[in-house]
């Protein structure tokens, strides 16, 4: 049965509530499984964990945007996840309906303005909003939606749950929930079979790196073996990265012009986690080669950088050092290929020239450059502004150190995994 989620803010808007219920009943008649928070949100009844799970498992979604929804924290949270899923899976059905006096311009200028990027529906004014005709028209928009299957977000959710399901002690689930600051009354939902999925949903909606670290350490202390803890860390840590920033990597680099992303940070680890966040740690969607620029004392920095980049790209593409890069066509079905370039010690003019040479040989490669925070890359990039997507993360250098410290804490605990340091 197709699962459809309805996002809304109707506690003080009876007209939109009637519209919501009419659509829900109509869709149920078409054999949809309608996921609606008001049907699980009751006093003394756990609902937050289930709601987080709804957002990751639904096949389609309908967003009712009335005046209250424009400023609702819950609607913002729900639609951010839903729109993120649609960004990664354009086939997902996400219908946004403007209710009452809400205009497209008002939506665009709100905190959920990203919904205005897609097609919008507008219901009739006044009493007709909840009429049978309006309800029937909206219900008819979902005639042949199929199961969405495993999109990147739902696969991410499932893979985290797979690791958590290996925890042997049920009390550990409650400890993880406590670290995630899930209300105590919600812990009754953490029953065998459901706990891993519910906690995985909550982890993906947790953007505090310290909380994420504590959940991993709780899992490890609760008996999760080091190898699985390391896998869980690679899946969970990128959740701290801002969704909108990461979304731009997917959305703004899928054309034929923008091939270079400049991320104004100091650490390549942050660049790795931005890519992981952008593609939901889905190894089928992307793969990465990493190169480091000029070492101190290098006499010919441009030749050195080109050599380092070519070597990294060849290794990632399975070529031998003596093979020519230009002879390789883009492998079908491999996902997007990125070169992650640590260019903190490089002149951006040299970086620009080297990337141009690489793109002559591998035009389908995308490049993520880490210039360092003091590089002023936006003004100093020597090429056309249309060549680059510049991301200015909304955090200080100290936060980079916190992220690196968290990764090192886990690495210190899990040690060597599969014969190498995690």
């Amino acid at each position: 049965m197709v699962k459809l989620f309805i996002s809304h803010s109707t506690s003080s808007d009876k007209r939109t509530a009637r519209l919501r219920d009419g659509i829900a009943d109509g869709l149920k008649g078409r054999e949809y499984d309608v996921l609606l928070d008001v049907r699980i949100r009751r006093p003394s009844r756990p609902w937050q964990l289930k709601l987080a799970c709804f957002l990751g498992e639904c096949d389609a979604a309908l967003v009712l945007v009335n005046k209250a929804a424009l400023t609702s924290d819950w609607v913002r949270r729900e639609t951010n996840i839903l729109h993120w899923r649609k960004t990664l899976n354009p086939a997902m059905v996400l219908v946004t309906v403007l209710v009452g006096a809400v205009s497209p311009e008002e939506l665009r200028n709100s905190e959920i303005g990203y919904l205005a990027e897609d097609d919008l529906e507008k219901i009739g004014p006044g009493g007709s909003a909840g009429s049978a005709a309006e309800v029937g028209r909206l219900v008819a928009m979902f005639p042949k939606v199929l199961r969405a299957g495993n999109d990147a977000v739902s696969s991410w959710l499932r893979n985290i749950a797979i690791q958590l399901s290996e925890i042997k002690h049920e009390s550990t689930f409650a400890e993880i929930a406590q670290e995630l600051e899930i209300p105590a009354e919600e812990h009754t939902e953490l029953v065998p079979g459901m706990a891993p999925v519910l906690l995985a949903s909550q982890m993906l909606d947790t953007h505090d790196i310290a909380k994420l670290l504590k959940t991993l350490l709780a899992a490890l202390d609760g008996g999760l073996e080091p190898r699985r803890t390391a896998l869980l860390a690679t899946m969970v840590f990128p959740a701290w990265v801002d969704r909108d920033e990461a979304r731009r990597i997917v959305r703004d680099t899928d054309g034929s012009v923008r091939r270079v992303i400049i991320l104004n940070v100091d650490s390549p680890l942050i660049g790795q986690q931005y890519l992981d966040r952008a593609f939901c740690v889905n190894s089928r969607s992307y793969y990465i080669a990493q190169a480091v620029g000029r070492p101190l004392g290098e006499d010919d920095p441009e030749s050195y950088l080109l050599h380092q980049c070519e070597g990294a790209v060849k290794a990632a593409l399975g070529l031998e050092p003596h093979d020519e890069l230009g002879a390789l066509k883009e492998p079908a079905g491999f996902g997007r290929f990125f070169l992650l370039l640590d260019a903190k010690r490089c002149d951006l003019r040299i970086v620009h020239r080297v990337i141009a040479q690489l793109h002559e040989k591998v035009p389908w490669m995308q490049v993520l450059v880490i210039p360092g925070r003091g590089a002023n890359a936006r003004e100093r990039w020597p090429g056309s502004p249309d060549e680059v997507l510049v991301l200015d993360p909304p955090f200080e250098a100290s936060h980079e150190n916190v992220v690196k410290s968290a990764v090192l804490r886990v690495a210190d605990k899990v040690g060597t995994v599969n014969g190498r340091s995690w």
Side-chain angles (χ1 to χ4, degrees):
M1 185 175 287
V2 174
K3 297 179 179 180
L4 183 138
F5 181 82
I6 298 180
S7 179
H8 63 98
S9 180
T10 56
S11 59
S12 59
D13 186 344
K14 294 182 179 180
R15 185 172 67 119
T16 304
R18 287 194 299 270
L19 176 66
R20 175 203 68 204
D21 293 339
I23 293 171
D25 291 341
L27 289 169
K28 186 177 180 180
R30 288 176 174 258
E31 298 186 349
Y32 279 82
D33 183 6
V34 179
L35 309 177
L36 194 54
D37 61 347
V38 294
R39 298 182 177 178
I40 60 171
R41 191 183 299 190
R42 296 287 186 272
S44 75
R45 182 178 178 182
W47 59 272
Q48 291 190 30
L49 284 171
K50 286 186 176 179
L51 178 60
C53 196
F54 284 175
L55 293 167
E57 70 181 12
C58 64
D59 303 299
L62 173 69
V63 185
L64 299 177
V65 181
N66 55 355
K67 290 289 187 180
L70 294 173
T71 56
S72 167
D73 290 339
W74 276 107
V75 171
R76 185 178 69 250
R77 172 190 171 188
E78 292 163 2
T79 57
N80 208 319
I81 294 172
L82 294 169
H83 192 258
W84 174 252
R85 290 185 60 192
K86 183 171 177 60
T87 299
L88 295 171
N89 178 22
M92 179 182 175
V93 174
L94 174 60
V95 176
T96 300
V97 178
L98 302 182
V99 182
V102 178
S103 67
E105 182 179 4
E106 193 172 6
L107 174 61
R108 279 192 292 272
N109 293 331
S110 72
E111 293 184 336
I112 55 174
Y114 41 80
L115 293 174
E117 297 173 6
D118 302 313
D119 292 336
L120 301 175
E121 291 293 320
K122 176 74 175 174
I123 67 168
S128 66
S131 68
E134 286 285 10
V135 169
R137 183 174 69 85
L138 294 174
V139 168
M141 297 181 68
F142 297 90
K144 296 180 180 180
V145 176
L146 302 178
R147 292 294 306 274
N150 290 325
D151 63 19
V153 176
S154 59
S155 293
W156 192 11
L157 178 70
R158 180 198 64 207
N159 292 336
I160 292 173
I162 287 172
Q163 306 311 317
L164 291 173
S165 66
E166 293 298 316
I167 294 174
K168 306 303 181 185
H169 304 289
E170 292 180 22
S171 61
T172 302
F173 294 132
E175 292 178 18
I176 293 174
Q178 185 174 354
E179 296 295 356
L180 292 170
E181 298 183 3
I182 296 171
E185 60 268 21
E186 296 276 327
H187 294 190
T188 57
E189 292 294 309
L190 299 174
V191 297
M194 282 300 297
V197 175
L198 294 173
L199 289 175
S201 297
Q202 197 66 29
M203 285 179 172
L204 292 190
D205 199 48
T206 300
H207 314 303
D208 184 324
I209 190 67
K211 287 183 184 178
L212 294 171
L213 171 63
K214 289 178 180 179
T215 63
L216 290 164
L217 297 179
L220 183 64
D221 291 343
L224 189 63
E225 61 182 62
R227 178 179 62 87
R228 290 192 177 277
T229 303
L231 281 172
L232 186 61
T234 62
M235 296 175 190
V236 167
F237 273 149
W240 71 266
V241 175
D242 181 77
R243 288 192 190 101
D244 289 334
E245 285 284 295
R247 182 187 290 126
R248 295 184 67 193
I249 293 176
V250 179
R251 185 189 63 199
D252 294 352
T253 62
D254 60 355
S256 60
V257 177
R258 284 183 172 168
R259 296 289 188 179
V260 181
I261 305 162
I262 297 179
L263 181 61
N264 286 324
V265 298
D266 292 325
S267 172
L269 172 65
I270 304 300
Q272 170 82 53
Q273 294 201 342
Y274 260 67
L275 289 174
D276 290 341
R277 183 69 180 87
F279 294 97
C280 300
V281 201
N282 185 336
S283 58
R284 292 167 292 178
S285 301
Y286 69 113
Y287 55 119
I288 302 171
Q290 295 197 41
V292 180
R294 166 182 182 164
L296 295 175
E298 176 60 41
D299 292 332
D300 188 352
E302 184 168 338
S303 296
Y304 180 87
L305 179 61
L306 181 60
H307 177 75
Q308 292 295 102
C309 291
E310 287 187 338
V313 171
K314 287 179 181 180
L317 298 177
L319 300 177
E320 297 295 334
H322 59 271
D323 290 336
E324 291 294 330
L325 272 180
L328 185 67
K329 295 182 179 180
E330 182 175 9
F334 269 41
R336 296 196 203 176
F337 177 50
F338 286 86
L339 173 64
L340 176 55
L341 176 57
D342 182 355
K344 291 191 297 296
R345 295 175 177 173
C346 302
D347 186 314
L348 286 178
R349 292 170 297 180
I350 291 176
V351 172
H352 179 259
R353 290 197 295 269
V354 167
I355 291 176
Q357 294 178 67
L358 291 170
H359 274 158
E360 288 181 2
K361 300 176 181 179
V362 192
W364 39 272
M365 178 181 68
Q366 299 186 46
V367 184
L368 174 58
V369 179
I370 307 296
R373 288 178 173 268
N376 196 12
R378 190 181 299 276
E379 295 183 7
R380 294 184 180 179
W381 183 253
S384 167
D386 292 335
E387 293 177 352
V388 295
L389 168 65
V390 181
L391 300 179
D392 295 304
F395 51 81
E396 302 296 331
S398 59
H399 183 71
E400 293 191 46
N401 293 330
V402 171
V403 174
K404 288 189 288 185
S405 176
V407 171
L408 290 172
R409 284 277 299 278
V410 174
D412 181 60
K413 290 290 186 181
V414 302
T416 301
V417 178
N418 293 335
R420 60 176 182 162
S421 177
W422 176 73

